[in-house]
Structures are given as structure tokens and as C-alpha cells.
Amino acid sequence: MCARRKKENNSMTEQQAQKIILLVEDDDFVGRAYKDGLCRAGFLVETAKDGNEAVKKAKSARPDLIILDLVMPLKNGFEVLEELRKDQAFNAVPIVVVSNLGQETDIEKAMQLGATGYLVKNQFSMKQMIDYIQKYLGDA
């Protein structure tokens, strides 16, 4: 998890500093890049590298938002999404899918399973991702 930071830059708010994001990404390079960007934006970040770990960490960390990859070992993102949405504790938790899968059928399936939003990995910058997730955290 990122160290809790003081309000060091003007773009980070007190509300951001208190928000926990669960980042579910099996690619080490991508995961480190996302975590670094989210930490710099002032969020506290928990990470998981597979679907089973994602469900376990979601239940223990009680994140304010989940960023979920779809293609992962052990349990894919669709299965994680479905499992978390069946748990009433996660009804109000925004789950943003961030995946290389950009087919309309994949996007529709994720949204039908309860994804709050969907981003295709190669179509946004870190700043755009932060702006996108902030709207789900009431910080837009």
C-alpha cells in the first residue's frame, strides 16, 4: 500500500488521501505503473495479481474503488466481478474494468455483470484514468 501522504500538491485533495483503491493487475510492469500514478495522485493502493487474491483483498481491505483487469490467472476478471457483485457489501463499490479487451462484446459483458465503468488500456493516459475514477469517488 502507498504510504499515507500529506497534501503535497494542489491536485490532491484530503478526500483522495483517504480513499483506498484495490488495483487488480497481473502484469508487473503495468501494475507498478498504475500503482505509482495512483499513489502520486494521493490514493492509498492495495494490489492483487490474480482473481482469487482480488476477492480476498477486496473483502479484507474494503476499498472505495476497484480497478479490475479481465485477463488474469486462477480466476478471470469477469468471474471476480460476478462474485463481488453477488456480495451485498460490494453493491455500492465502483468497479472500473481496465483491460486490453476492447471488443464490444467484452465491454457489454462486463457492464452486464456490474462494472461501473470500462477503460481499454491503450486508449488513455494516467491522468485520464485518475480523472475517470475520481468521478466515481465523488471527487470530480
Side-chain angles (χ1 to χ4, degrees):
M1 183 185 286
C2 307
R4 198 174 281 273
R5 295 180 168 194
K6 293 180 181 174
K7 190 173 177 180
E8 295 171 354
N9 65 44
N10 293 336
S11 64
M12 184 174 71
T13 67
E14 294 298 327
Q15 191 174 17
Q16 277 177 279
Q18 298 170 8
K19 298 294 183 180
I20 297 171
I21 294 177
L22 174 59
L23 171 63
V24 184
E25 172 60 61
D26 65 317
D27 182 290
D28 287 335
F29 178 77
V30 173
R32 280 194 308 270
Y34 287 169
K35 182 177 180 179
D36 183 57
L38 292 165
C39 287
R40 280 197 225 177
F43 296 105
L44 299 175
V45 181
E46 287 282 347
T47 60
K49 291 187 177 192
D50 64 61
N52 289 338
E53 185 181 14
V55 172
K56 190 177 192 178
K57 285 241 179 132
K59 291 180 179 184
S60 65
R62 296 294 183 193
D64 297 292
L65 182 134
I66 298 170
I67 296 173
L68 180 64
D69 188 14
L70 292 177
V71 180
M72 297 182 297
L74 304 179
K75 186 180 288 187
N76 69 43
F78 292 118
E79 294 168 314
V80 171
L81 185 55
E82 188 172 23
E83 185 172 340
L84 290 178
R85 286 302 187 216
K86 286 181 181 177
D87 184 335
Q88 286 189 337
F90 294 96
N91 285 349
V93 176
I95 301 175
V96 176
V97 171
V98 177
S99 179
N100 282 321
L101 301 179
Q103 301 277 32
E104 193 61 37
T105 54
D106 295 317
I107 296 168
E108 286 175 15
K109 181 177 180 180
M111 298 308 282
Q112 287 172 353
L113 289 172
T116 310
Y118 197 108
L119 293 170
V120 178
K121 284 183 182 177
N122 65 354
Q123 296 180 0
F124 62 89
S125 69
M126 190 69 222
K127 182 184 179 332
Q128 289 170 316
M129 179 174 160
I130 289 167
D131 290 345
Y132 187 78
I133 64 174
Q134 281 178 335
K135 71 182 182 181
Y136 297 114
L137 293 171
D139 210 12

